[in-house]
Amino acid sequence: MKTIYRKETPLIVKQYGERYKITVCKYDIWDIKDGNNSRNVNELKLDSNIKRARSKVYEYAACNEWEYFATLTLDAKKQNRYDLGEYIKDLGQFIRDERKRTGKSIKYLLIPEQHKNGAWHMHGYFSGIPSEDVTHNNNGYYHWQRYYERFGYCSLDHIKDKDKCDSYIVKYISKDLGGQAIGKNKKLYYASRGLNTATTLHQGYTSKRLTSPDWETDCVQILWCNSLEEALNYISILSD
């Protein structure tokens, strides 16, 4: 791996709902040109895809209001449990039909997961499901009746700690999912259109580093702030 350093490196500050993310890169550009690198191109591409997907999933999770954490399964009598493409297509049509039927803006953020036997199910967020279509089941969770009638068992749980849920949902984006399981040119997550995204508050360069980042790798430092005032203070310090 060939790394090109420069004195100043990118500084980016974004707002995710009520939180603020400060990103300080440790170098500006890196090019992968070394044919003797121990990791092949496919592995590097997979890592890049995983990181991008995790970042986007967290962005959608944090920047939008969600009502339920959902687990969606498939009944073999109602849907092919092994064909993810068919399931995604049919689920999308089902949600569009429900929007038309109810006049509700049903929104979702879903990540597929594969059982060891190859069958698929989904985890993720929902909002806008009509309350009259949600019932309480025997396991202490809520139940989307119309999904059950069309596809199979599902469970919905009201989100109690959004920050924890937002961090947890990202973990479903795994190397197993991004590798052989989901196949080439397939999405690692599915989100409804029109979701809120992060707002860039500042984009520039800095020659400084964070002293106590929340997360750090060889490439980047990340710090989360809980107020705009705190974020602006860091921008001032890092930009001096």
Side-chain angles (χ1 to χ4, degrees):
M1 179 181 293
K2 181 181 178 182
T3 305
I4 304 172
Y5 293 91
R6 56 181 289 167
K7 184 177 180 181
E8 292 188 326
T9 56
L11 165 64
I12 303 169
V13 181
K14 289 188 175 184
Q15 180 178 357
Y16 290 72
E18 296 180 354
R19 302 187 73 202
Y20 302 83
K21 178 183 178 185
I22 297 175
T23 302
V24 176
C25 298
K26 292 184 176 179
Y27 47 85
D28 193 11
I29 346 172
W30 62 94
D31 295 326
I32 301 164
K33 297 180 179 179
D34 186 358
N36 296 319
N37 196 298
S38 59
R39 304 181 66 208
N40 63 42
V41 173
N42 288 335
E43 289 177 330
L44 292 166
K45 285 182 178 179
L46 174 59
D47 277 353
S48 180
N49 289 342
I50 293 293
K51 288 175 183 177
R52 282 198 301 269
R54 285 177 174 169
S55 177
K56 202 62 184 180
V57 165
Y58 184 83
E59 184 174 353
Y60 284 141
C63 294
N64 293 272
E65 293 297 323
W66 302 100
E67 295 176 71
Y68 299 105
F69 183 87
T71 298
L72 310 178
T73 68
L74 294 171
D75 184 336
K77 297 178 180 178
K78 300 176 180 179
Q79 184 79 24
N80 185 347
R81 302 173 65 214
Y82 304 94
D83 190 333
L84 179 61
E86 179 183 295
Y87 175 37
I88 293 299
K89 180 180 177 182
D90 292 346
L91 179 61
Q93 186 60 55
F94 167 78
I95 293 174
R96 287 191 292 273
D97 290 343
E98 287 302 293
R99 287 173 181 154
K100 291 179 182 178
R101 183 183 71 85
T102 65
K104 301 289 186 180
S105 178
I106 301 173
K107 296 182 180 180
Y108 60 88
L109 172 61
L110 297 171
I111 300 165
E113 185 177 30
Q114 193 172 36
H115 292 289
K116 290 182 179 180
N117 66 1
W120 290 96
H121 62 283
M122 291 275 198
H123 300 283
Y125 282 159
F126 271 99
S127 66
I129 299 174
S131 58
E132 60 268 24
D133 293 337
V134 177
T135 59
H136 204 258
N137 64 28
N138 295 330
N139 297 320
Y141 293 93
Y142 293 91
H143 181 71
W144 190 2
Q145 181 63 27
R146 291 186 66 83
Y147 176 92
Y148 170 77
E149 292 170 358
R150 173 61 181 84
F151 295 102
Y153 174 80
C154 71
S155 69
L156 305 173
D157 191 18
H158 280 296
I159 297 169
K160 301 176 182 67
D161 189 327
K162 191 168 184 299
D163 287 345
K164 286 184 179 180
C165 282
D166 291 347
S167 298
Y168 179 75
I169 195 175
V170 174
K171 295 180 180 179
Y172 286 110
I173 303 286
S174 66
K175 285 191 175 183
D176 289 339
L177 177 64
Q180 296 297 321
I182 204 166
K184 294 182 179 180
N185 303 317
K186 296 289 181 64
K187 293 182 179 181
L188 300 180
Y189 65 91
Y190 297 87
S192 51
R193 295 181 181 179
L195 294 181
N196 297 329
T197 56
T199 301
T200 300
L201 300 180
H202 177 84
Q203 190 164 348
Y205 283 88
T206 181
S207 59
K208 299 182 179 180
R209 295 291 178 263
L210 294 164
T211 55
S212 300
D214 293 317
W215 187 70
E216 183 171 11
T217 68
D218 292 339
C219 305
V220 69
Q221 291 183 313
I222 290 175
L223 177 69
W224 286 97
C225 300
N226 293 319
S227 70
L228 177 58
E229 181 180 4
E230 185 183 1
L232 292 175
N233 183 54
Y234 273 106
I235 292 175
S236 176
I237 293 172
L238 294 169
S239 299
D240 285 345

